[in-house]
Structure formats: C-alpha cells, structure tokens
Amino acid sequence: MAEITAAMVKELREKTDAPMMECKKALAEAGGDMGRAEEILRVKLGNKANKAASRVTAEGVVGIWLADDRKLGAIVEVNCETDFVAKNDDFLAFARELAAMVARSHPADVAALSALPMGESTVDGVRTALVGRIGENMSIRRFARVAAEGQLASYVHGGAKIGVLIDVDGADEALAKDLAMHVAANKPKALSKDGVPVADVERERSIASQKAAESGKPAEIVAKMVEGAVQKYLKEVTLLGQPFVKDDKVTVEQLLGQRKARVARFELFVVGEGIEKKQSDFAAEVAAQAAAAAGR
C-alpha cells in the first residue's frame, strides 16, 4: 500500500477544499493516485470538491486587440510573478502591443511571436529588458487570433484577469457585448456539447455512475440517472446550453434563435488558469531567518 504523506494530503486539500480526513481517506482508497483521489471526493462530496477547476494561481494580464471594423482580433495572456507588476503601465502596454502583433503578423506559436521585431529589438528582447528593469520574471503564455465570420466583441474583467473575444454572426453590437460578458461570468468550456473534451465527459459519466450505483435502484433507473447527470453537466459547461446571464429563463441557444444570430467561436482566457503558483509560508520564512541569524 502506498504511503500517504502529510504533503499529499495538504496538496489534495488545496486542490479540492475537502476536509483533511476525507482527503486522507480518499488518497488511501486511491492508493496514492492524486487524480483518482479527486474523483473519489467528487463522488462523496459532489461539487464541494471541485474547487481546483476555478482556482487561479498565477499573476499577469490578458491583452486584447480589436480592429475598428470588428472583423479581426487577438487575445494574449502574459504572466508575471506578482499582482503589483501586473498593474505596471509598461507591462500592460507590452501585453496590448503583443495582442496587436498577433493580429497583424499571425505568428504560428509563442516562439514565433517572441522572434518578431519590436521597435529596435525583438519581442523577446523587449521582454528581457522589461524583466531587467522591473526586476521580476515574465512570460508570454498563450494567444489566439480570430478572423470573424460575423463581427467580434470583446470584454475584459477584474483588472484584465479575465478576457473574452467572441465572434457573433447576425447580432448587433449590444448583444455581442452581452454574450462576451456572459462568457466571462459563466466560463463555458466549449461552444456546444460537441466541443467538450471526451475525457471530461467520461470523467463525469464515471462519477455519475458511482453515485447512481450507491442509490440501490434498478439498473434501468441507474442508466437514466447517469445519462441525466451527463446531460446536465453538458448544459452547464457549454455556452449554448447555459441560461443567459441577463435572463435565466432562456438559454443562450434560445436567445440566439430569437435574435436570428449565431456564435461562430469564442476565446476565454483566465489569467493563471491551470498554473500552480508556489505558495510560501511567510511566518515560517521569518522564523527560519531569525533562527539562522541567531545561530551565526
């Protein structure tokens, strides 16, 4: 049997916000497999153990550039170490300029973007100079360039921590903006159920199956319970399936049908999403420094 360490329990608790003893039991049942332990907690505790999906753990900003005719746009995430630097004017200007360069130059990836000329240097040269001047590391994490089928709308929220670029065909500017705000607020994983990763659907199906099996109901009822849970999940995580943020009596799909409009694509960037930032214990650091000083 795998040894369950205090560090493993702490890590699982930070990921799920589940009680310490429940984390320890889940890890023991999973034989130390962190992913399986998370799944076990989801079965036992439901969405209370799903904190990790929405936790943001790194600093930085989302930069967006939009053409005047709203037919071309770009979105980029640039990371740094602290929120203080994320508010620096030079850092913010760098992010905005990167978004414009992505739209105009259409680089293939971050490496290609970094190699583009920027002023008298390159993008990476300007980044390196900023690091030297500000005194904090920073990196370009990801970007997307969108050539619209309809017209683009954008929305930035929370000090540029969340950014949305959405392509809406057949809608006026006000509706497109509302849809961009909806994406920022509800954070759909995909436009429709066809875009949800198969692995995510299968994980939800597995969790629903384990929950339903504990009900003791007949197999045919269990099958319906599982399918109902999966369909509910798909509605929750897809833009078209979600209730519209400004009128929850209609889904986004129904709203678009009423307005004879269509969403072709959206890009949602949440700063630090999926990045684990090193957590430091300030009190422990001070104590360690004091002990080191006393021992000199």
Side-chain angles (χ1 to χ4, degrees):
M1 185 175 178
E3 181 186 0
I4 308 303
T5 66
M8 292 168 67
V9 174
K10 180 176 181 290
E11 181 182 349
L12 184 59
R13 176 169 167 73
E14 288 175 349
K15 284 184 174 182
T16 65
D17 209 27
M20 193 74 74
M21 288 307 298
E22 291 295 336
C23 291
K24 187 173 182 179
K25 289 176 185 177
L27 282 164
E29 186 176 337
D33 184 318
M34 192 66 65
R36 174 58 184 153
E38 284 188 51
E39 186 173 310
I40 290 168
L41 287 173
R42 285 284 308 282
V43 171
K44 291 182 178 179
L45 305 177
N47 288 333
K48 291 179 181 178
N50 202 25
K51 176 185 174 186
S54 60
R55 189 173 67 240
V56 175
T57 56
E59 302 301 338
V61 294
V62 176
I64 292 179
W65 182 90
L66 200 59
D68 291 339
D69 63 1
R70 299 196 289 132
K71 297 295 287 184
L72 179 65
I75 181 169
V76 62
E77 178 184 348
V78 187
N79 295 127
C80 56
E81 294 179 43
T82 64
D83 187 54
F84 178 77
V85 168
K87 297 173 183 176
N88 178 278
D89 288 341
D90 290 340
F91 181 75
L92 292 169
F94 179 62
R96 288 192 296 268
E97 181 57 26
L98 285 179
M101 293 180 72
V102 167
R104 293 167 181 155
S105 301
H106 201 356
D109 52 28
V110 171
L113 173 60
S114 298
L116 288 174
M118 192 177 203
E120 298 179 356
S121 183
T122 63
V123 167
D124 195 58
V126 171
R127 182 196 66 81
T128 302
L130 270 176
V131 170
R133 187 161 71 250
I134 296 175
E136 185 171 306
N137 193 27
M138 57 190 68
S139 61
I140 305 165
R141 184 184 182 200
R142 54 180 170 167
F143 64 80
R145 180 182 185 271
V146 182
E149 294 181 25
Q151 286 191 310
L152 295 171
S154 65
Y155 181 68
V156 176
H157 181 74
K161 300 298 184 187
I162 302 172
V164 177
L165 199 55
I166 190 168
D167 178 6
V168 189
D169 191 15
D172 58 27
E173 190 171 351
L175 176 58
K177 188 76 171 182
D178 282 346
L179 290 168
M181 292 174 66
H182 173 101
V183 171
N186 288 277
K187 300 179 181 60
K189 289 178 177 287
L191 175 59
S192 67
K193 62 183 181 181
D194 294 336
V196 180
V198 173
D200 289 358
V201 177
E202 290 307 309
R203 183 181 64 249
E204 293 301 317
R205 190 180 300 280
S206 172
I207 291 168
S209 296
Q210 293 173 69
K211 285 183 177 180
E214 293 176 355
S215 69
K217 294 182 179 179
E220 61 272 16
I221 301 298
V222 166
K224 289 180 181 178
M225 290 171 64
V226 171
E227 188 57 31
V230 170
Q231 292 305 314
K232 181 175 182 288
Y233 166 75
L234 289 172
K235 288 179 181 178
E236 290 173 349
V237 301
T238 57
L239 175 58
L240 296 182
Q242 292 175 341
F244 182 46
V245 72
K246 295 181 76 172
D247 180 5
D248 62 8
K249 292 180 175 60
V250 297
T251 65
V252 171
E253 185 171 30
Q254 290 168 337
L255 174 68
L256 290 168
Q258 293 169 5
R259 303 289 286 272
K260 295 181 171 56
R262 177 180 69 92
V263 174
R265 173 183 174 184
F266 73 85
E267 295 290 341
L268 165 67
F269 283 7
V270 179
V271 168
E273 187 176 41
I275 298 175
E276 293 294 334
K277 184 174 71 174
K278 182 180 178 181
Q279 301 292 327
S280 60
D281 185 334
F282 181 70
E285 286 182 12
V286 171
Q289 290 174 8
R296 287 175 187 166

